[in-house]
Amino acid sequence: MNMQTLLSHPLFRPVALSLVLLAAFPLAAAYISLVERKVLADFQVRLGPMRVGPHGLLQPIADALKLLLKEDIIPAEADRRIFWMAPVISTFTALTAFAVLPLSRDLVVADVNVGILVISATSAIGILGIILGGWASNSHYPLLGALRSAAQLVSYEVALAFALLSGLMMAGTLSMPGIVQAQLTGHTWFIFGNYGFMIVPFGVYMVAAVAETNRAPFDLPEAESELVAGFHTEYSGMRWAFYFLAEYANMFVVAAVAATLFLGGWLRPFPNVAWLAVPLNFFFPVVLSAGSAFLTWRMAGRLIDPVQQKTLLAVVLLLLSVAAFFAIPAVNAAVIGPFWFLLKVSYILYLMIWFRGTFPRYRYDQLMNIGWKVMIPLGMAAVLINAVLGMTRG
């Protein structure tokens, strides 16, 4: 009876989902970093991490253990309390945004009517962790990185807001699940709305989001070519790992917002075409998982070490099990929403990694010029034109 009461409590589901997200995301962030290193290595015709586990599969675990055991150093002249709190602020605010991200129709911690504002507010507060970390270090290079970060936030936050506003005008709501429902009702993803012109605010959003997350080619707050490591130069061990976790959490959040606002969230392609439900919801994930298992099996055959071969064969069995689960109708109905949502987020994360491997870092004056002279005017024009197109369409 007590267990039944617990399960029926209105707070049980959001608390349980919050704990699952908080427990799973650090591991996911570690493996996103492995994917990034592998993708960048492929761009540069290298192999990337290969030493720890088969094809470097256990490298993130080794990195996590190294950071846990590494000596944590605080500079003698640093403000110790602020130095300690700064990475905590960045990580806490980044993870807080997960509360309003809808993984599917039912998997959302809190469906609030101002969800997009919650994400915008937490991202704006999170920058304080970078500013305070650079200032509290009592070192010139971190301070310069922190000042750059503050100016970068002011520049690109405005363009990001204009890009979001274009999508919100089409949705008519600030609720994240409501935005997805509006795309289902309107029979189109917002990126294709207003006769295709919504691609412009999507492009503005992507550029501003890369700048907001301090990713290359806009990683001026941590530009090692002139600032050693920027705002986190004096950080080591787990405090540096918190900044690392915050960066990847912010990447995931901006990718999730883009997937929700412009790409239909958890909706499959052509969600209103009934006959596509079976090929897209059943066959596609099964073929994707089974195909990944086949490619992994081929890689296992090229390994010499029997332990590494067995490890990859275990991954093959895991992927085949996932394919089998997707073929079960009851399981498929429960997981197909998160599958499409995470697949779209993965493509956007890949795009951000692609940017890093393609474009050189901008100079600081170029960064400011793009923000104030290109992105903000383009975002304002997109809002006005989309408003006019929306009225004509209506």
Side-chain angles (χ1 to χ4, degrees):
M1 189 66 180
N2 291 333
M3 180 60 68
Q4 184 178 2
T5 304
L6 176 64
L7 294 176
S8 61
H9 195 279
L11 290 179
F12 174 78
R13 190 167 183 171
V15 170
L17 182 58
S18 299
L19 293 176
V20 169
L21 290 174
L22 291 175
F25 186 76
L27 181 63
Y31 275 92
I32 291 173
S33 72
L34 177 63
V35 171
E36 180 169 10
R37 294 166 73 178
K38 284 289 191 180
V39 170
L40 293 175
D42 189 55
F43 288 165
Q44 299 162 1
V45 199
R46 303 186 283 109
L47 293 176
M50 293 288 289
R51 297 281 184 176
V52 187
H55 290 273
L57 198 60
L58 301 180
Q59 185 66 50
I61 307 300
D63 291 340
L65 290 175
K66 180 195 73 173
L67 290 171
L68 282 170
L69 300 175
K70 194 173 182 180
E71 183 180 3
D72 188 9
I73 300 172
I74 299 179
E77 300 300 322
D79 189 318
R80 299 181 68 88
R81 288 179 296 179
I82 298 179
F83 189 88
W84 186 90
M85 282 298 298
V88 176
I89 293 173
S90 291
T91 307
F92 177 80
T93 53
L95 295 177
T96 300
F98 281 66
V100 294
L101 292 179
L103 303 181
S104 69
R105 189 185 307 276
D106 301 316
L107 286 179
V108 56
V109 176
D111 178 13
V112 295
N113 58 357
V114 289
I116 199 75
L117 287 183
V118 172
I119 295 174
S120 299
T122 55
S123 65
I125 295 174
I127 203 69
L128 287 175
I130 294 176
I131 296 172
L132 292 176
W135 180 82
S137 298
N138 195 25
S139 175
H140 291 223
Y141 291 123
L143 180 60
L144 287 174
L147 293 175
R148 284 183 176 186
S149 183
Q152 189 167 315
L153 170 73
V154 172
S155 300
Y156 285 88
E157 187 84 10
V158 180
L160 190 96
F162 280 127
L164 292 176
L165 187 57
S166 294
L168 295 176
M169 287 192 302
M170 293 195 67
T173 178
L174 298 177
S175 166
M176 298 292 282
I179 291 170
V180 179
Q181 188 61 39
Q183 295 174 79
L184 179 63
T185 305
H187 295 196
T188 183
W189 293 353
F190 285 162
I191 191 174
F192 304 115
N194 288 340
Y195 312 104
F197 190 78
M198 282 294 293
I199 294 177
V200 175
F202 175 74
V204 173
Y205 176 87
M206 285 304 303
V207 173
V210 171
E212 285 285 294
T213 52
N214 295 329
R215 295 280 302 177
F218 301 132
D219 57 338
L220 273 300
E222 48 186 284
E224 70 273 6
S225 58
E226 67 265 22
L227 295 183
V228 187
F231 67 92
H232 56 68
T233 297
E234 305 295 342
Y235 281 87
S236 61
M238 280 307 297
R239 300 183 205 278
W240 181 89
F242 279 138
Y243 275 129
F244 172 88
L245 180 61
E247 177 178 333
Y248 279 92
N250 286 325
M251 283 177 60
F252 187 92
V253 168
V254 298
V257 171
T260 302
L261 186 59
F262 295 100
L263 302 178
W266 65 80
L267 300 176
R268 62 174 171 84
F270 307 104
N272 302 99
V273 182
W275 66 270
L276 286 176
V278 173
L280 290 178
N281 283 351
F282 281 89
F283 293 155
F284 179 76
V286 170
V287 170
L288 182 64
S289 301
S292 301
F294 174 72
L295 294 176
T296 306
W297 176 74
R298 288 189 61 186
M299 287 193 298
R302 300 171 185 169
L303 295 176
I304 300 176
D305 187 353
V307 176
Q308 294 194 355
Q309 280 187 334
K310 292 177 181 178
T311 305
L312 272 193
L313 289 176
V315 176
V316 170
L317 293 177
L318 177 63
L319 290 170
L320 291 176
S321 301
V322 171
F325 277 119
F326 272 113
I328 302 173
V331 177
N332 186 283
V335 300
I336 196 62
F339 167 78
W340 283 113
F341 178 80
L342 294 176
L343 185 64
K344 295 171 186 177
V345 170
S346 299
Y347 278 126
I348 296 173
L349 290 176
Y350 179 83
L351 189 64
M352 297 175 75
I353 295 171
W354 192 357
F355 287 168
R356 178 178 178 179
T358 304
F359 300 107
R361 181 184 293 120
Y362 285 91
R363 294 197 315 267
Y364 191 66
D365 60 309
Q366 293 173 327
L367 176 80
M368 292 293 106
N369 284 336
I370 292 173
W372 289 102
K373 297 180 181 179
V374 179
M375 289 294 107
I376 292 178
L378 194 58
M380 295 175 65
V383 169
L384 294 174
I385 295 174
N386 277 298
V388 174
L389 293 175
M391 289 188 291
T392 58
R393 178 174 50 85

Coordinates of all heavy atoms in Angstrom, one line a residue, residues 101-183:
L101 N 12.8 20.4 -20.7 CA 13.0 19.8 -22.0 C 12.1 18.6 -22.2 O 12.2 17.6 -21.4 CB 14.4 19.4 -22.2 CG 15.5 20.6 -22.3 CD1 16.9 20.0 -22.5 CD2 15.1 21.5 -23.5
P102 N 11.2 18.6 -23.2 CA 10.3 17.4 -23.4 C 11.0 16.3 -24.2 O 11.2 16.5 -25.4 CB 9.1 18.0 -24.1 CG 9.6 19.2 -24.8 CD 10.9 19.7 -24.1
L103 N 11.3 15.2 -23.7 CA 11.9 14.1 -24.4 C 10.9 13.4 -25.3 O 11.2 12.8 -26.3 CB 12.6 13.1 -23.5 CG 13.7 13.6 -22.6 CD1 14.2 12.5 -21.7 CD2 14.8 14.3 -23.4
S104 N 9.6 13.5 -24.8 CA 8.5 12.9 -25.6 C 7.2 13.5 -25.0 O 7.3 14.4 -24.2 CB 8.4 11.4 -25.5 OG 8.1 11.0 -24.2
R105 N 6.1 13.0 -25.5 CA 4.8 13.6 -25.0 C 4.7 13.5 -23.5 O 4.1 14.3 -22.8 CB 3.6 12.9 -25.7 CG 2.3 13.6 -25.4 CD 1.2 12.8 -26.1 NE 1.4 12.5 -27.5 CZ 1.1 13.4 -28.4 NH1 0.6 14.5 -28.2 NH2 1.4 13.0 -29.7
D106 N 5.2 12.4 -22.9 CA 5.0 12.1 -21.5 C 6.3 12.3 -20.7 O 6.2 12.4 -19.5 CB 4.5 10.7 -21.3 CG 3.1 10.4 -22.0 OD1 2.3 11.3 -21.9 OD2 3.0 9.4 -22.7
L107 N 7.4 12.2 -21.3 CA 8.7 12.3 -20.6 C 9.1 13.8 -20.5 O 10.0 14.3 -21.3 CB 9.7 11.5 -21.3 CG 9.6 10.0 -21.1 CD1 10.7 9.2 -21.8 CD2 9.6 9.6 -19.6
V108 N 8.6 14.5 -19.6 CA 9.0 15.9 -19.3 C 8.9 16.1 -17.8 O 7.9 15.7 -17.2 CB 8.2 16.9 -20.1 CG1 6.7 16.8 -19.8 CG2 8.7 18.3 -19.8
V109 N 9.9 16.7 -17.2 CA 9.9 16.9 -15.7 C 8.8 17.9 -15.3 O 8.0 17.6 -14.4 CB 11.3 17.4 -15.2 CG1 11.2 17.7 -13.7 CG2 12.3 16.3 -15.5
A110 N 8.7 19.0 -16.0 CA 7.7 20.0 -15.7 C 7.3 20.7 -17.0 O 8.1 21.3 -17.7 CB 8.3 21.1 -14.7
D111 N 6.0 20.7 -17.3 CA 5.5 21.4 -18.4 C 4.9 22.7 -17.9 O 3.8 22.8 -17.5 CB 4.4 20.6 -19.1 CG 3.7 21.3 -20.3 OD1 4.3 22.3 -20.7 OD2 2.6 20.9 -20.7
V112 N 5.8 23.7 -17.9 CA 5.4 25.1 -17.5 C 5.0 25.9 -18.7 O 5.6 25.7 -19.8 CB 6.5 25.7 -16.6 CG1 6.7 25.0 -15.4 CG2 7.8 25.8 -17.4
N113 N 4.2 26.9 -18.5 CA 3.7 27.7 -19.7 C 4.7 28.7 -20.1 O 4.4 29.4 -21.1 CB 2.4 28.4 -19.3 CG 2.5 29.3 -18.1 OD1 3.5 29.4 -17.5 ND2 1.4 29.9 -17.7
V114 N 5.9 28.8 -19.5 CA 6.9 29.7 -19.9 C 8.2 28.9 -20.0 O 9.3 29.4 -19.6 CB 7.1 30.9 -18.9 CG1 5.9 31.9 -19.0 CG2 7.2 30.4 -17.5
G115 N 8.2 27.7 -20.5 CA 9.3 26.9 -20.6 C 10.5 27.5 -21.3 O 11.7 27.4 -20.8
I116 N 10.3 28.1 -22.4 CA 11.4 28.7 -23.2 C 12.0 29.8 -22.5 O 13.2 30.0 -22.6 CB 10.9 29.1 -24.6 CG1 12.0 29.3 -25.6 CG2 10.1 30.4 -24.5 CD1 12.6 28.0 -26.1
L117 N 11.3 30.5 -21.6 CA 11.8 31.6 -20.8 C 12.7 31.0 -19.7 O 13.7 31.7 -19.3 CB 10.7 32.5 -20.3 CG 10.0 33.4 -21.2 CD1 9.0 34.3 -20.5 CD2 11.0 34.3 -22.0
V118 N 12.3 29.9 -19.2 CA 13.1 29.2 -18.1 C 14.5 28.9 -18.7 O 15.5 29.1 -18.0 CB 12.4 28.0 -17.6 CG1 13.3 27.2 -16.7 CG2 11.1 28.4 -16.9
I119 N 14.5 28.3 -19.9 CA 15.8 28.0 -20.5 C 16.6 29.2 -20.8 O 17.9 29.2 -20.5 CB 15.6 27.2 -21.8 CG1 14.9 25.8 -21.5 CG2 16.9 27.0 -22.6 CD1 14.5 25.0 -22.7
S120 N 16.0 30.3 -21.3 CA 16.7 31.5 -21.6 C 17.3 32.1 -20.3 O 18.4 32.6 -20.3 CB 15.8 32.5 -22.3 OG 15.4 32.0 -23.5
A121 N 16.5 32.1 -19.2 CA 17.0 32.6 -17.9 C 18.1 31.9 -17.4 O 19.1 32.4 -16.9 CB 15.8 32.7 -17.0
T122 N 18.1 30.5 -17.4 CA 19.1 29.7 -16.8 C 20.4 29.9 -17.6 O 21.5 29.9 -17.1 CB 18.7 28.2 -16.8 OG1 18.3 27.8 -18.1 CG2 17.6 28.0 -15.8
S123 N 20.3 30.0 -19.0 CA 21.5 30.1 -19.8 C 22.2 31.5 -19.5 O 23.4 31.6 -19.5 CB 21.2 30.0 -21.3 OG 20.3 31.1 -21.7
A124 N 21.3 32.5 -19.2 CA 21.9 33.8 -19.0 C 22.6 33.9 -17.6 O 23.6 34.5 -17.4 CB 20.8 34.9 -19.0
I125 N 22.0 33.1 -16.6 CA 22.6 33.1 -15.3 C 23.9 32.3 -15.3 O 24.9 32.6 -14.6 CB 21.6 32.6 -14.3 CG1 20.4 33.5 -14.1 CG2 22.3 32.3 -12.9 CD1 19.4 33.0 -13.2
G126 N 23.9 31.2 -16.1 CA 25.1 30.3 -16.2 C 26.4 31.0 -16.5 O 27.5 30.6 -16.1
I127 N 26.3 32.1 -17.3 CA 27.5 32.8 -17.7 C 28.2 33.4 -16.5 O 29.4 33.7 -16.5 CB 27.1 33.9 -18.8 CG1 28.3 34.2 -19.6 CG2 26.6 35.1 -18.1 CD1 28.8 33.1 -20.5
L128 N 27.4 33.6 -15.4 CA 28.1 34.2 -14.2 C 29.2 33.2 -13.7 O 30.1 33.7 -13.1 CB 27.0 34.4 -13.1 CG 26.1 35.6 -13.3 CD1 25.0 35.6 -12.2 CD2 26.8 36.9 -13.3
G129 N 29.0 31.9 -13.9 CA 30.0 31.0 -13.4 C 31.3 31.2 -14.1 O 32.4 31.1 -13.5
I130 N 31.2 31.5 -15.4 CA 32.4 31.8 -16.2 C 33.1 33.1 -15.8 O 34.3 33.2 -15.6 CB 32.1 31.8 -17.7 CG1 31.7 30.4 -18.2 CG2 33.3 32.3 -18.5 CD1 31.2 30.3 -19.6
I131 N 32.2 34.1 -15.6 CA 32.8 35.4 -15.2 C 33.4 35.4 -13.8 O 34.5 35.9 -13.6 CB 31.6 36.5 -15.3 CG1 31.1 36.6 -16.7 CG2 32.1 37.8 -14.7 CD1 29.9 37.5 -16.8
L132 N 32.7 34.8 -12.9 CA 33.2 34.7 -11.5 C 34.5 33.8 -11.5 O 35.4 34.1 -10.7 CB 32.2 34.1 -10.6 CG 31.0 35.1 -10.3 CD1 29.9 34.4 -9.5 CD2 31.4 36.3 -9.7
G133 N 34.5 32.7 -12.3 CA 35.7 31.9 -12.3 C 36.9 32.6 -12.8 O 38.0 32.5 -12.2
G134 N 36.7 33.4 -13.8 CA 37.9 34.2 -14.4 C 38.3 35.2 -13.4 O 39.5 35.5 -13.2
W135 N 37.4 35.9 -12.7 CA 37.7 37.0 -11.8 C 38.3 36.4 -10.5 O 39.3 37.0 -10.0 CB 36.5 37.8 -11.5 CG 36.7 38.9 -10.5 CD1 37.2 40.1 -10.8 CD2 36.5 38.9 -9.1 NE1 37.3 40.9 -9.7 CE2 36.9 40.2 -8.6 CE3 36.0 37.9 -8.2 CZ2 36.8 40.5 -7.3 CZ3 36.0 38.3 -6.9 CH2 36.3 39.5 -6.4
A136 N 37.8 35.3 -10.0 CA 38.2 34.8 -8.7 C 39.6 34.2 -8.8 O 40.3 34.0 -7.8 CB 37.3 33.7 -8.2
S137 N 40.1 33.8 -10.0 CA 41.4 33.2 -10.2 C 42.5 34.2 -9.9 O 43.7 33.8 -9.6 CB 41.6 32.7 -11.6 OG 40.6 31.7 -11.9
N138 N 42.2 35.5 -9.9 CA 43.3 36.5 -9.7 C 44.5 36.4 -10.6 O 45.6 36.4 -10.2 CB 43.7 36.5 -8.2 CG 44.5 37.7 -7.8 OD1 44.3 38.8 -8.4 ND2 45.4 37.6 -6.8
S139 N 44.1 36.1 -11.9 CA 45.2 36.0 -12.9 C 44.7 36.7 -14.1 O 43.5 36.8 -14.4 CB 45.3 34.5 -13.2 OG 46.3 34.3 -14.3
H140 N 45.6 37.2 -14.9 CA 45.3 38.1 -16.0 C 44.6 37.3 -17.2 O 43.6 37.8 -17.7 CB 46.6 38.8 -16.6 CG 47.1 39.8 -15.6 ND1 47.6 41.0 -16.0 CD2 47.3 39.8 -14.3 CE1 48.1 41.7 -15.0 NE2 47.9 40.9 -13.9
Y141 N 45.1 36.2 -17.5 CA 44.5 35.4 -18.6 C 43.1 35.0 -18.3 O 42.2 35.2 -19.2 CB 45.4 34.2 -19.0 CG 46.7 34.6 -19.6 CD1 47.9 34.2 -19.0 CD2 46.8 35.4 -20.7 CE1 49.1 34.5 -19.5 CE2 48.0 35.8 -21.3 CZ 49.2 35.3 -20.7 OH 50.4 35.7 -21.2
P142 N 42.8 34.4 -17.2 CA 41.4 34.1 -16.9 C 40.5 35.3 -16.9 O 39.3 35.2 -17.3 CB 41.4 33.4 -15.5 CG 42.8 32.8 -15.4 CD 43.7 33.8 -16.2
L143 N 41.0 36.4 -16.3 CA 40.2 37.6 -16.3 C 39.8 38.1 -17.7 O 38.7 38.5 -18.0 CB 40.9 38.7 -15.5 CG 40.2 40.1 -15.4 CD1 38.9 39.9 -14.7 CD2 41.1 41.1 -14.7
L144 N 40.8 38.1 -18.6 CA 40.5 38.5 -20.0 C 39.5 37.5 -20.6 O 38.6 38.0 -21.4 CB 41.8 38.5 -20.8 CG 42.8 39.6 -20.5 CD1 44.1 39.4 -21.3 CD2 42.2 41.0 -20.9
G145 N 39.6 36.2 -20.3 CA 38.6 35.3 -20.9 C 37.2 35.5 -20.3 O 36.2 35.4 -21.1
A146 N 37.1 35.9 -19.1 CA 35.8 36.2 -18.5 C 35.2 37.4 -19.1 O 34.0 37.5 -19.3 CB 36.0 36.4 -16.9
L147 N 36.0 38.5 -19.3 CA 35.5 39.7 -19.9 C 35.0 39.4 -21.4 O 34.0 40.0 -21.8 CB 36.6 40.8 -19.9 CG 37.0 41.3 -18.5 CD1 38.1 42.3 -18.7 CD2 35.8 42.0 -17.8
R148 N 35.8 38.6 -22.1 CA 35.4 38.3 -23.4 C 34.0 37.5 -23.4 O 33.2 37.7 -24.2 CB 36.4 37.4 -24.1 CG 37.7 38.1 -24.6 CD 38.6 37.1 -25.3 NE 39.7 37.8 -25.8 CZ 40.6 37.1 -26.6 NH1 40.5 35.8 -26.8 NH2 41.7 37.8 -27.1
S149 N 33.9 36.6 -22.4 CA 32.7 35.9 -22.3 C 31.5 36.8 -22.0 O 30.4 36.6 -22.6 CB 32.8 34.8 -21.2 OG 31.7 34.0 -21.1
A150 N 31.7 37.7 -21.2 CA 30.5 38.7 -20.9 C 30.1 39.4 -22.1 O 28.9 39.6 -22.4 CB 31.0 39.6 -19.7
A151 N 31.1 40.0 -22.9 CA 30.8 40.7 -24.1 C 30.1 39.8 -25.1 O 29.2 40.2 -25.8 CB 32.0 41.4 -24.6
Q152 N 30.6 38.6 -25.2 CA 30.1 37.6 -26.2 C 28.6 37.3 -25.9 O 27.8 37.2 -26.7 CB 30.9 36.4 -26.2 CG 30.6 35.4 -27.3 CD 31.7 34.3 -27.4 OE1 32.9 34.7 -27.4 NE2 31.3 33.1 -27.5
L153 N 28.3 37.1 -24.6 CA 27.0 36.8 -24.2 C 26.0 38.0 -24.5 O 24.9 37.7 -25.1 CB 26.9 36.6 -22.7 CG 25.5 36.5 -22.1 CD1 24.9 35.2 -22.5 CD2 25.5 36.6 -20.6
V154 N 26.4 39.2 -24.2 CA 25.6 40.4 -24.5 C 25.3 40.5 -26.0 O 24.2 40.8 -26.5 CB 26.2 41.6 -24.0 CG1 25.5 42.9 -24.5 CG2 26.3 41.6 -22.5
S155 N 26.3 40.2 -26.8 CA 26.2 40.3 -28.3 C 25.3 39.3 -28.9 O 24.4 39.6 -29.7 CB 27.6 40.2 -28.9 OG 28.5 41.2 -28.5
Y156 N 25.4 38.0 -28.5 CA 24.7 37.0 -29.2 C 23.4 36.6 -28.5 O 22.6 35.9 -29.1 CB 25.6 35.8 -29.4 CG 26.6 36.0 -30.4 CD1 27.9 36.6 -30.2 CD2 26.4 35.6 -31.8 CE1 28.8 36.8 -31.1 CE2 27.3 35.9 -32.8 CZ 28.5 36.5 -32.4 OH 29.4 36.7 -33.4
E157 N 23.2 37.0 -27.3 CA 21.9 36.7 -26.6 C 20.8 37.4 -27.3 O 19.7 36.9 -27.4 CB 22.0 37.1 -25.1 CG 20.8 36.7 -24.3 CD 20.9 35.3 -23.8 OE1 22.0 34.7 -23.9 OE2 19.9 34.8 -23.2
V158 N 21.0 38.6 -27.8 CA 20.0 39.4 -28.5 C 19.6 38.7 -29.8 O 18.4 38.5 -30.1 CB 20.5 40.8 -28.8 CG1 19.4 41.6 -29.5 CG2 20.9 41.5 -27.5
A159 N 20.6 38.3 -30.6 CA 20.3 37.6 -31.8 C 19.6 36.3 -31.6 O 18.6 35.9 -32.3 CB 21.6 37.3 -32.6
L160 N 20.0 35.6 -30.5 CA 19.3 34.3 -30.2 C 17.9 34.6 -29.8 O 17.0 33.8 -30.2 CB 20.1 33.7 -29.0 CG 19.6 32.2 -28.6 CD1 20.6 31.2 -29.3 CD2 19.7 32.0 -27.2
A161 N 17.6 35.6 -29.1 CA 16.2 35.9 -28.7 C 15.4 36.3 -29.9 O 14.2 35.8 -30.0 CB 16.2 37.1 -27.7
F162 N 15.9 37.0 -30.9 CA 15.1 37.3 -32.1 C 14.8 36.0 -32.9 O 13.7 35.8 -33.4 CB 15.9 38.2 -33.0 CG 15.8 39.7 -32.5 CD1 16.9 40.4 -32.3 CD2 14.6 40.3 -32.3 CE1 16.8 41.8 -31.9 CE2 14.5 41.6 -31.9 CZ 15.6 42.3 -31.7
A163 N 15.8 35.1 -32.9 CA 15.6 33.8 -33.6 C 14.5 33.0 -32.9 O 13.6 32.4 -33.6 CB 16.8 33.0 -33.7
L164 N 14.5 33.0 -31.6 CA 13.5 32.3 -30.8 C 12.1 32.9 -31.0 O 11.1 32.2 -31.1 CB 13.8 32.2 -29.3 CG 15.0 31.4 -28.9 CD1 15.3 31.6 -27.4 CD2 14.8 29.9 -29.3
L165 N 12.1 34.2 -31.1 CA 10.8 35.0 -31.2 C 10.1 34.6 -32.5 O 8.9 34.5 -32.6 CB 11.1 36.5 -31.2 CG 9.9 37.4 -31.1 CD1 9.0 37.0 -29.9 CD2 10.3 38.8 -31.0
S166 N 10.9 34.4 -33.6 CA 10.3 34.0 -34.9 C 9.5 32.7 -34.7 O 8.4 32.5 -35.2 CB 11.3 33.9 -36.0 OG 11.9 35.2 -36.2
G167 N 10.2 31.7 -34.0 CA 9.5 30.4 -33.8 C 8.3 30.5 -32.9 O 7.3 29.9 -33.1
L168 N 8.4 31.3 -31.9 CA 7.4 31.5 -30.9 C 6.1 32.1 -31.5 O 5.0 31.9 -31.1 CB 7.8 32.3 -29.7 CG 8.9 31.6 -28.8 CD1 9.4 32.5 -27.7 CD2 8.4 30.2 -28.3
M169 N 6.3 33.0 -32.5 CA 5.2 33.6 -33.2 C 4.4 32.6 -33.9 O 3.1 32.7 -34.0 CB 5.7 34.7 -34.1 CG 6.1 36.0 -33.5 SD 6.4 37.4 -34.6 CE 7.6 36.7 -35.8
M170 N 5.0 31.6 -34.5 CA 4.3 30.5 -35.1 C 3.6 29.6 -34.1 O 2.5 29.1 -34.4 CB 5.3 29.7 -36.0 CG 5.8 30.5 -37.2 SD 6.6 29.4 -38.4 CE 5.1 28.5 -39.0
A171 N 4.3 29.3 -33.0 CA 3.7 28.4 -32.0 C 2.6 29.0 -31.3 O 1.6 28.3 -30.9 CB 4.8 27.9 -31.1
G172 N 2.7 30.3 -30.9 CA 1.6 30.9 -30.1 C 1.7 30.5 -28.7 O 0.7 30.7 -27.9
T173 N 2.8 29.9 -28.2 CA 2.9 29.5 -26.8 C 4.3 29.4 -26.4 O 5.2 29.3 -27.3 CB 2.2 28.1 -26.6 OG1 2.4 27.7 -25.2 CG2 2.9 27.0 -27.5
L174 N 4.6 29.6 -25.1 CA 6.0 29.4 -24.6 C 6.2 28.1 -24.0 O 7.4 27.8 -23.6 CB 6.3 30.5 -23.6 CG 6.2 32.0 -24.0 CD1 6.4 32.9 -22.9 CD2 7.2 32.2 -25.1
S175 N 5.2 27.2 -23.9 CA 5.4 25.9 -23.4 C 6.1 25.0 -24.4 O 5.8 24.9 -25.6 CB 4.0 25.3 -23.1 OG 4.1 23.9 -22.9
M176 N 7.1 24.3 -23.9 CA 7.9 23.4 -24.8 C 7.0 22.3 -25.4 O 7.0 22.1 -26.7 CB 9.1 22.8 -24.1 CG 10.1 23.9 -23.6 SD 10.9 24.7 -25.0 CE 12.2 23.5 -25.4
P177 N 6.2 21.5 -24.7 CA 5.4 20.5 -25.3 C 4.3 21.2 -26.2 O 3.9 20.7 -27.2 CB 4.7 19.8 -24.1 CG 5.7 20.0 -23.0 CD 6.3 21.4 -23.2
G178 N 3.9 22.4 -25.8 CA 2.9 23.1 -26.6 C 3.5 23.5 -28.0 O 2.7 23.5 -29.0
I179 N 4.8 23.8 -28.0 CA 5.4 24.1 -29.3 C 5.4 22.9 -30.2 O 5.1 23.0 -31.4 CB 6.8 24.6 -29.1 CG1 6.8 26.0 -28.4 CG2 7.6 24.7 -30.4 CD1 8.2 26.4 -27.9
V180 N 5.7 21.8 -29.7 CA 5.6 20.5 -30.5 C 4.2 20.2 -31.0 O 4.0 19.9 -32.1 CB 6.2 19.3 -29.7 CG1 6.2 18.1 -30.5 CG2 7.6 19.6 -29.3
Q181 N 3.3 20.4 -30.1 CA 1.9 20.2 -30.4 C 1.4 21.1 -31.5 O 0.6 20.8 -32.4 CB 1.0 20.3 -29.2 CG -0.5 19.9 -29.4 CD -0.6 18.5 -29.8 OE1 0.1 17.6 -29.3 NE2 -1.5 18.2 -30.7
A182 N 1.9 22.4 -31.5 CA 1.5 23.3 -32.6 C 2.1 22.9 -33.9 O 1.4 23.1 -34.9 CB 2.1 24.7 -32.2
Q183 N 3.2 22.3 -33.9 CA 3.8 21.8 -35.2 C 3.0 20.5 -35.7 O 2.8 20.3 -36.9 CB 5.2 21.4 -35.1 CG 6.1 22.6 -34.8 CD 7.6 22.3 -34.5 OE1 8.3 22.0 -35.3 NE2 7.9 22.3 -33.2

